[in-house]
Amino acid sequence: MSSTFKESIDEAVHNSNLTGALGRFSEAYRESRAKAYEGVDFEAVRTRIAEIKGGAASHLDELAEEFKKNAESRGAKVFRASNPKQVKDYILKLAKANGVEAIVKSKSMASEEIHLNKHLEAQGIQVSETDLGEWIIQLAGQRPSHMVMPAIHLTREEVAEIFSKEVNERLSSDIPRLVKIARRELRDKFLKAGMGISGANIAVAETGTLVIVTNEGNARLVTTLPKIHVAIVGVEKLVPHISDVVPILTALPRSATGQLLTSYVTMITGPAPNTDGSLKDLHIVLMDSHRTEMAQDGKFQQALQCIRCGSCLNVCPVYRLVGGHVFGKVYMGGIGTILTAWFDALKESDEIQSLCIQCGNCKEVCPGKIDIPDLILELRRRLVKDEGQSLKEKAIFAVVNNRRVFHAMLRSASLLQKPFEKDGFIRHLPLFLSGMADFRSLPAVAEKPFRDVFPLIDQSAVVGQARAAFYAGCLIDFAYPEMGSAVVKVLNKAGIEVIFPEEQTCCGAPARYGGAYEVAAKNATDNINALLKRDVRWVVSACPTCSVALKHEFSATFESLGMHDQLPRAAELAAKVTDFSSLVRSLVDEGRLKLKPGADLGKVSYHDSCHMKRTLGVDHQPRELLQLAGYELAEMKESDMCCGMGGSYSLKMPEISAPILARKLASLEATGAPLAAMDCPGCAMQIRGGLDKQGSPIRVRHTAELIAEMVE
Amino acid sequence: MPTLFESFAARAQAVSAEVHHFSTRAEGLEFVLDLVRSLEGDRLQPSFAIWAACPFLAGLDEAALTERAPGLAFQVTRASAAAASVGISQMDLAIADTGTLVQNATAVEQRLVSTLPSVHIAILATDAIVPDLTAALGRLYAADGPDRLEPQKSEGPPPYLSFITGPSRTADIERVLTIGVHGPERLVIVCVDELGGGQ
Ligand code: SF4
């Protein structure tokens, strides 16, 4: 990672205006979005959008031709441009031919993508953005920090400063007054401009219609007052039918700003009259610029389903901390990283892709149903393939690739660290957990890993009954063996015999998230062999990251590498995998497991781990277990927001991980509960380490440990 | 179950539109003239309020209306719209579940009166309210199937179709909601029952 990139992150996380504004917004956004979707079946709407836009993406060329034909039959001029230069040349030529001196623009990301303003201004044409946020940014000479709210990083005082310079008058920071100034200044520009440039949110092929969505009303003026209207439309905006606008207009305003509909939606089909009675000179530029290439990539085609609502940014724990500027481009956040990799170059995404912590929030809210985290992983994989791994990572994965060496190193680590240990916490864990981590303490590597503890557990009472294999994962095996013991105890009480296949190894998540898919595949194969060796009814894991790997990612990794012969075994394993809490919850339901009745254990706050909640879809089971055990739930704010761990993320990006953790700790503390429960040893490590660092008395336990104390 | 009008009014008011309901055209007209007079006060400005041609005006004597509200004019041009404070027009349809007004705004006068002045008075026939966007598009483009809107083969959609939901708004400075950026800061919806059909 370059030092300038690290510096830009550092600058962003220390910009309290930015993080304050984005943080408050993302909290408010959750609620306003939920409210806006009341009574709407979001899953149905986004499934429809994905069908429409996914279908369109596989027929871009036909749709573009159909659109062109229909729009032209209605009197528009349609120009299909394959690259940004053609777009810029076309518009410049048009402006010159008509003696245009001033242009007004309503928001168009496509025009920003190709840096149109710069091009036109270099030729002496005055270009004014008219969306308030865009205008502020333009006057300030900055770049947008959010796709929907471009000036969200600026305070009213800064805006007053910027406007004061523009109008040569000392302005106060009263917001309604500032908005009035913008109205006055821009009104004049609208009336004088010779050309209006807009984008479009949807382009309907069967009618040649453009759909433009705004709140301020600037697009209506841009498309009404100047005699020439140029719409720049990325071909991914094409949809076949007029009825397709319904689901998109249902989702876009709700997801973007929590509105049922924006103040204005304008549908333009061919030229309408100008104020002097002439007909509008309407030009529609359909811009490809790598969209077709993207559509032809089996994996990335789905990224064209994006409707640019920005909700993936609003829910992203990293984005709300760093804002849009660190992405260095017009498109930002996870989807921005993907678009940058295609519209610019794969290499351009090298640094920014590392910002993704893989929490999955974006995937859950995306109205285009895009699996953004998965596409980021795919970028990583391709980058590693093209650019290779860093030497350090190479060395790490070489070790992880070989179970014996890996485990031997972890064992020796427990001896090496001895002198530094303090109350079970040390500052550095070797190897995969090594690195800077000043913001939290790290656990000691256990003196005795779980694999050595396990044979000492007496299971004679349950031998020969239903059998489960326990998959511990590195953290439970080598850092938190007590969690493993708790799992065995609970399952034994339910009459289940637990086996621990010794050859199990790392689940491959670190390698996969690091783009080292071959290593992940080797891990997968080793684990499948180990876990399917003996006949078991369940494969139980108490780490959601491991559960996800076992259940979903082994096959995904094999598929990415074309190792199709491995898929049946991966599926066989996946069918047996269950997370601890889901299994135990059902054992209680079936009456196979009893919890001591009548206990009053006080308050507990439950933290939802990203993989647990969003990939495994498990959230109520552990809560119910805790309540059945006698705890009172004290829910924290944003209980399912990432804790900032993200595996090795917290080591690569401590400057981001630390403030994410700080937010989590504050939410936790606000509940007043003396105890925090969670189902993930990784989250436990992060949160416990943060609390320890702060000297907080709040205890952190795995759900399994708390339940183990209460089984009869 | 609330009526279509009630749902529409609630949604429109939730986004800061003002909604008034009258049973007869005469009452609606009285309200509009009153509003224009009260906004005008004692300022003497011809074309203080401009009224774009619409079915509501059919059979009314425009000169007589101007006599009753002196700032009222029926000549809509770029210049008169830029100078006017109030724009008046009639909408074709409205959408109950979003509080949205829909208008074929191909005639530029219709766009001028609803974009440039700071107050927009929108007249609407109560029975022109439809439940949702699909129904609105269906009415505009003629539906030929339950889930499928087919553009009329002959003409297709009108060149300029406007959907208006509340007044112009922004939250671009510190996310503070501010009404009235480039478009009207007041949207006054006048619903009239006995206007008959939307179009
Ligand atoms: S990727 Fe999805 S959530 Fe993000 S802007 Fe696009 S449609 Fe919205």
Side-chain angles (χ1 to χ4, degrees):
Chain A
M1 236 168 283
S2 71
S3 58
T4 43
F5 181 55
K6 280 280 186 185
E7 274 160 28
S8 73
I9 294 175
D10 220 49
E11 200 178 301
V13 297
H14 289 107
N15 177 344
S16 54
N17 287 343
L18 175 76
T19 55
L22 289 174
R24 282 189 300 277
F25 170 62
S26 87
E27 278 178 21
Y29 172 77
R30 257 187 188 231
E31 281 167 38
S32 58
R33 177 185 179 278
K35 197 154 181 296
Y37 273 107
E38 268 169 22
V40 176
D41 182 347
F42 176 64
E43 282 309 318
V45 171
R46 70 167 172 171
T47 301
R48 188 72 198 109
I49 292 175
E51 278 166 14
I52 293 166
K53 300 212 54 149
S58 28
H59 299 95
L60 285 181
D61 188 53
E62 291 103 298
L63 283 178
E65 270 315 296
E66 190 190 346
F67 179 89
K68 183 171 154 74
K69 187 181 103 237
N70 290 322
E72 283 178 344
S73 81
R74 294 294 299 264
K77 297 172 187 96
V78 179
F79 174 60
R80 290 188 61 184
S82 52
N83 61 55
K85 182 167 182 310
Q86 290 175 340
V87 180
K88 289 188 273 196
D89 289 350
Y90 181 88
I91 295 173
L92 183 63
K93 204 169 139 214
L94 183 67
K96 288 244 154 110
N98 289 278
V100 171
E101 286 165 11
I103 294 176
V104 279
K105 277 180 74 199
S106 64
K107 193 175 168 69
S108 152
M109 298 206 74
S111 76
E112 289 171 39
E113 181 188 324
I114 63 171
H115 309 290
L116 178 67
N117 292 9
K118 224 169 80 194
H119 188 74
L120 295 171
E121 281 162 355
Q123 300 292 320
I125 299 172
Q126 191 202 86
V127 185
S128 304
E129 294 290 346
T130 63
D131 172 85
L132 179 59
E134 296 282 349
W135 191 53
I136 294 170
I137 292 298
Q138 186 186 31
L139 293 179
Q142 299 187 2
R143 273 189 296 109
S145 56
H146 188 284
M147 295 200 295
V148 177
M149 292 162 298
I152 191 171
H153 61 290
L154 294 172
T155 62
R156 64 187 82 188
E157 287 77 21
E158 288 169 314
V159 175
E161 192 70 29
I162 294 163
F163 281 10
S164 297
K165 261 195 214 131
E166 175 68 12
V167 301
N168 256 327
E169 171 186 342
R170 202 53 245 144
L171 301 172
S172 78
S173 59
D174 177 54
I175 292 178
R177 176 90 195 107
L178 291 171
V179 171
K180 281 253 157 22
I181 296 283
R183 179 184 172 104
R184 185 188 77 199
E185 292 295 310
L186 289 169
R187 181 56 66 89
D188 196 47
K189 296 188 194 294
F190 279 122
L191 290 164
K192 288 188 179 136
M195 178 188 280
I197 297 181
S198 76
N201 300 84
I202 312 171
V204 182
E206 74 178 351
T207 53
T209 302
L210 298 175
V211 182
I212 306 173
V213 170
T214 71
N215 271 314
E216 298 180 1
N218 54 326
R220 304 182 81 212
L221 293 169
V222 162
T223 57
T224 295
L225 294 175
K227 291 200 334 187
I228 307 170
H229 170 206
V230 181
I232 308 173
V233 185
V235 289
E236 80 283 7
K237 298 289 191 295
L238 287 161
V239 298
H241 305 299
I242 197 81
S243 55
D244 298 335
V245 305
V246 176
I248 298 175
L249 286 182
T250 303
L252 181 55
R254 286 178 168 86
S255 285
T257 48
Q259 290 175 283
L260 302 187
L261 199 57
T262 46
S263 300
Y264 303 106
V265 176
T266 298
M267 297 192 189
I268 294 176
T269 312
N274 282 319
T275 52
D276 65 356
S278 64
L279 263 194
K280 182 80 63 202
D281 191 8
L282 172 63
H283 297 255
I284 303 169
V285 181
L286 288 180
M287 178 171 93
D288 192 280
S289 188
H290 302 291
R291 271 93 170 153
T292 294
E293 252 169 79
M294 208 170 176
Q296 283 159 357
D297 184 295
K299 193 87 186 171
F300 282 93
Q301 192 202 62
Q302 57 168 309
L304 296 170
Q305 287 158 212
C306 174
I307 59 171
R308 307 277 188 271
C309 69
S311 61
C312 49
L313 306 181
N314 304 342
V315 300
C316 175
V318 178
Y319 172 81
R320 74 173 175 183
L321 212 72
V322 300
H325 289 150
V326 303
F327 292 89
K329 302 282 171 186
V330 298
Y331 299 111
M332 49 197 76
I335 188 67
T337 303
I338 294 160
L339 296 178
T340 296
W342 283 89
F343 297 169
D344 290 321
L346 178 60
K347 214 174 156 10
E348 289 285 311
S349 70
D350 194 10
E351 288 182 330
I352 53 179
Q353 58 76 21
S354 63
L355 289 164
C356 175
I357 195 170
Q358 292 284 315
C359 73
N361 277 350
C362 51
K363 178 183 171 183
E364 202 177 42
V365 299
C366 174
K369 228 178 169 180
I370 304 170
D371 192 343
I372 302 164
D374 188 51
L375 294 184
I376 299 271
L377 283 189
E378 180 63 14
L379 286 183
R380 255 177 222 175
R381 191 181 73 82
R382 293 186 188 186
L383 280 161
V384 166
K385 225 169 97 211
D386 285 12
E387 319 274 325
Q389 205 104 42
S390 77
L391 279 179
K392 187 172 149 215
E393 284 186 334
K394 235 190 211 140
I396 293 175
F397 290 134
V399 172
V400 177
N401 203 19
N402 185 322
R403 183 184 69 82
R404 278 174 209 288
V405 178
F406 180 42
H407 287 171
M409 276 187 91
L410 285 171
R411 277 174 192 281
S412 61
S414 92
L415 299 174
L416 283 175
Q417 77 195 3
K418 268 266 139 11
F420 311 106
E421 188 176 351
K422 174 196 151 259
D423 307 332
F425 279 98
I426 58 159
R427 282 170 47 80
H428 297 285
L429 252 177
L431 203 61
F432 71 113
L433 296 175
S434 70
M436 197 184 106
D438 281 346
F439 62 93
R440 56 148 197 235
S441 316
L442 287 172
V445 169
E447 214 168 299
K448 222 181 210 181
F450 181 73
R451 55 185 60 240
D452 293 355
V453 173
F454 180 76
L456 309 176
I457 302 174
D458 175 13
Q459 294 195 79
S460 50
V462 287
V463 170
Q465 305 201 23
R467 195 188 293 146
F470 178 51
Y471 178 81
C474 305
L475 271 178
I476 291 184
D477 200 351
F478 290 94
Y480 299 123
E482 65 275 16
M483 294 179 185
S485 302
V487 170
V488 177
K489 178 177 172 194
V490 174
L491 295 181
N492 283 173
K493 288 280 182 189
I496 295 169
E497 183 196 350
V498 179
I499 62 162
F500 183 84
E502 285 258 342
E503 304 81 28
Q504 59 177 276
T505 186
C506 175
C507 70
R512 186 175 154 88
Y513 299 155
Y517 275 44
E518 272 79 12
V519 177
K522 172 81 164 58
N523 289 157
T525 310
D526 286 352
N527 282 315
I528 291 173
N529 289 339
L531 296 167
L532 291 181
K533 203 173 205 170
R534 283 181 67 190
D535 185 38
V536 293
R537 174 139 172 228
W538 304 279
V539 173
V540 183
S541 155
C543 168
T545 304
C546 298
S547 303
V548 167
L550 268 53
K551 224 175 163 54
H552 304 290
E553 288 172 354
F554 286 1
S555 50
T557 301
F558 290 145
E559 274 192 44
S560 295
L561 296 177
M563 298 166 67
H564 300 292
D565 55 323
Q566 301 286 328
L567 290 174
R569 296 263 289 165
E572 192 187 329
L573 173 65
K576 292 182 191 279
V577 173
T578 169
D579 69 278
F580 170 83
S581 285
S582 300
L583 174 63
V584 173
R585 181 71 190 89
S586 62
L587 292 172
V588 171
D589 261 355
E590 289 161 21
R592 296 175 63 170
L593 185 70
K594 293 219 162 28
L595 296 169
K596 290 177 196 157
D600 178 5
L601 301 173
K603 283 188 184 173
V604 66
S605 197
Y606 185 80
H607 162 72
D608 293 279
S609 307
C610 297
H611 278 135
M612 188 79 168
K613 166 97 190 251
R614 282 179 287 274
T615 317
L616 299 174
V618 179
D619 57 359
H620 61 91
Q621 296 88 331
R623 285 181 167 81
E624 286 160 9
L625 284 175
L626 292 167
Q627 283 170 309
L628 288 168
Y631 288 100
E632 181 198 334
L633 272 183
E635 292 288 354
M636 69 180 97
K637 193 165 73 180
E638 298 187 331
S639 67
D640 63 352
M641 192 51 108
C642 180
C643 67
M645 173 71 188
S648 56
Y649 186 92
S650 59
L651 306 162
K652 283 189 198 146
M653 294 283 182
E655 56 281 80
I656 294 174
S657 177
I660 293 179
L661 173 61
R663 258 185 116 104
K664 176 56 69 178
L665 298 183
S667 313
L668 178 54
E669 262 153 18
T671 64
L675 179 64
M678 55 208 67
D679 273 58
C680 173
C683 299
M685 178 173 127
Q686 171 90 339
I687 294 174
R688 201 181 271 179
L691 290 168
D692 178 72
K693 199 81 192 178
Q694 287 184 0
S696 161
I698 300 176
R699 289 170 306 125
V700 172
R701 307 290 298 280
H702 193 290
T703 306
E705 295 177 273
L706 297 175
I707 298 306
E709 288 169 0
M710 300 306 291
V711 283
E712 276 193 317
Chain B
M1 274 293 274
T3 63
L4 283 179
F5 169 76
E6 285 162 352
S7 315
F8 167 78
R11 292 294 198 203
Q13 283 159 350
V15 290
S16 316
E18 301 159 41
V19 182
H20 303 270
H21 186 196
F22 303 98
S23 46
T24 66
R25 181 166 79 154
E27 288 167 342
L29 179 62
E30 234 16 79
F31 173 82
V32 172
L33 294 176
D34 269 349
L35 181 58
V36 169
R37 275 193 300 262
S38 74
L39 287 169
E40 187 173 31
D42 41 24
R43 263 174 297 179
L44 278 182
Q45 184 201 334
S47 293
F48 172 83
I50 46 172
W51 197 326
C54 61
F56 184 91
L57 287 173
L60 293 176
D61 177 354
E62 292 175 356
L65 297 181
T66 304
E67 240 162 65
R68 297 174 61 194
L72 197 54
F74 298 87
Q75 200 51 13
V76 179
T77 64
R78 187 180 177 102
S80 75
S85 296
V86 180
I88 308 168
S89 59
Q90 183 176 345
M91 297 293 128
D92 298 320
L93 288 176
I95 301 174
D97 78 353
T98 50
T100 302
L101 300 166
V102 188
Q103 187 193 34
N104 176 349
T106 302
V108 74
E109 296 74 27
Q110 303 296 337
R111 281 176 272 151
L112 289 172
V113 298
S114 63
T115 49
L116 291 172
S118 53
V119 180
H120 177 208
I121 303 176
I123 299 167
L124 175 71
T126 312
D127 64 3
I129 303 173
V130 298
D132 54 23
L133 181 59
T134 302
L137 288 175
R139 286 278 289 270
L140 289 158
Y141 294 170
D144 72 349
D147 192 23
R148 179 77 184 78
L149 306 169
E150 193 72 51
Q152 281 167 352
K153 291 279 182 292
S154 49
E155 329 170 31
Y160 205 108
L161 193 55
S162 285
F163 294 74
I164 300 175
T165 311
S168 153
R169 63 186 56 224
T170 186
D172 274 353
I173 304 178
E174 287 192 8
R175 286 201 312 114
V176 174
L177 177 66
T178 312
I179 301 290
V181 203
H182 298 301
E185 58 187 34
R186 259 184 94 182
L187 173 63
V188 184
I189 301 171
V190 180
C191 262
V192 180
D193 292 343
E194 61 114 58
L195 247 175
Q199 323 216 32

